Amino acid sequence: MHGGVYAKITPKTQPNPYLEVDERDILTPSGTKLTKINPAFMTRQANELAFEKYGIIAHITSLKPIRPQNQPDAWESWALKQFEQGSHEISTIETINNIQYLRLMRPLITEQGCLKCHDKQGYKKGDIRGGISVGVPLAQHLAISKNNLKTLTMMYGFIWFAGITGTILFMLILNKQISKRLKAEKELIHREKLEGVVEMARAVCHELNQPLQMILGNSEIILMEGTDKETLLKRVKLIQEQVNRMGKLSRKLIKIASYETKEMPQGKVIDIDKSSGLE
Ligand code: HEC
């Protein structure tokens, strides 16, 4: 944007011999010496700082470098060729001097402002002027990720274990409860069946009681008194009536299709009339 900026000349910031512009070195009114810093030079200084502070290797380079030291290494020239084929970013894991690095490179595209200094080499707007590569040493990050992996493995392992144990425990408890319930249900059904049988027995006894009494009474009288034919017939007729009554009861019992009850002094009994539907 500025076509370069001026900085004080110091042992570290010496005039750039490759920078061919007017007024590369100037004097301020008070006599301080300044030199023009082009973007690549400033980038280099920033790269040096990154290396000193973080061990990050960064490099501004090009397939056609103006400054011979800006020559790309093998990986960089491969990446730069990829940019010419249309890639926008290249990154891989590489080993340099036995140290593992994550290397990443992006292209530097020629803009209008770059042409001030770079049109001499024949660049046009939009051309790939070169690129900047950075390499981040991975050892520290790998150590952190290894540590994280250990913690995560332990955490997930614990969750997995707790989950499985919980599920098994839950299943056992549920199973126990289900069988308890089934047993109780079975007992209940059994009790209800027995109750039904008892209620039926009570009802039948109640219904049979009166006719049996009358049959017994009349036959005893016949046997004891040995009466005349007319009274005998009367008594036999009475016995017949009671037998008919019992027959009717048995027909009703066969027809029983529902469960209806009524209260009697001796307890709950089956309501035979209602249950058979033959009132
Ligand atoms: C003030 C002049 C000036 C401007 C403006 C300028 N450059 Fe440069 N550039 C140079 C000089 C001189 C070099 C070679 C010396 C060095 O590396 O400092 C260089 C080097 C480079 C390099 C390193 C490869 C090589 O050729 O040595 C790249 C990449 C680069 N410039 C890209 C750009 C881009 C992209 C722009 C625009 C955003 C730009 N420059 C603007 C002067 C300039």
Side-chain angles (χ1 to χ4, degrees), residues 195-225:
E195 237 165 59
V197 171
V198 170
E199 283 160 7
M200 179 56 95
R202 270 194 209 128
V204 172
C205 284
H206 174 76
E207 295 291 328
L208 285 182
N209 211 21
Q210 221 187 354
L212 281 175
Q213 292 276 331
M214 286 183 77
I215 291 168
L216 195 69
N218 280 306
S219 27
E220 264 171 6
I221 291 171
I222 294 169
L223 285 174
M224 264 165 40
E225 292 176 1

Side-chain angles (χ1 to χ4, degrees), residues 20-38:
E20 293 159 4
V21 284
D22 296 335
E23 299 191 309
R24 187 191 69 186
D25 306 319
I26 55 167
L27 275 176
T28 66
S30 62
T32 312
K33 276 188 194 168
L34 299 179
T35 187
K36 199 170 207 175
I37 310 281
N38 57 301

Side-chain angles (χ1 to χ4, degrees), residues 3 16 18-19 38-41 44 60-62 64-67 70 108-109 113-114 117-118 129-130:
N16 185 348
Y18 302 98
L19 181 55
N38 57 301
F41 189 11
R44 224 169 17 250
I60 181 163
T61 180
S62 165
K64 286 185 279 172
I66 304 165
R67 183 173 167 264
N70 291 348
L108 280 168
I109 312 291
C114 317
C117 302
H118 288 302
R129 175 64 267 265

Side-chain angles (χ1 to χ4, degrees), residues 11 14 29 32 35 45 59-60 70 77 97 108-109 114 140 143 151 159 191 194 199 202 205 224 226 251 275:
Q14 285 293 309
T32 312
T35 187
Q45 290 195 327
H59 191 212
I60 181 163
N70 291 348
S77 45
N97 296 333
L108 280 168
I109 312 291
C114 317
Q140 216 181 339
T151 321
I159 294 174
R191 240 198 346 263
L194 188 69
E199 283 160 7
R202 270 194 209 128
C205 284
M224 264 165 40
R251 276 195 297 281
S275 301

Side-chain angles (χ1 to χ4, degrees), residues 115-159:
L115 294 174
K116 254 178 258 164
C117 302
H118 288 302
D119 66 349
K120 289 195 279 275
Q121 291 106 38
Y123 287 106
K124 290 184 300 298
K125 210 175 137 185
D127 283 348
I128 291 169
R129 175 64 267 265
I132 295 182
S133 79
V134 289
V136 181
L138 276 180
Q140 216 181 339
H141 299 275
L142 285 178
I144 292 171
S145 97
K146 213 168 148 187
N147 209 13
N148 279 352
L149 196 73
K150 224 161 111 187
T151 321
L152 274 180
T153 311
M154 262 160 66
M155 213 168 81
Y156 284 130
F158 176 74
I159 294 174

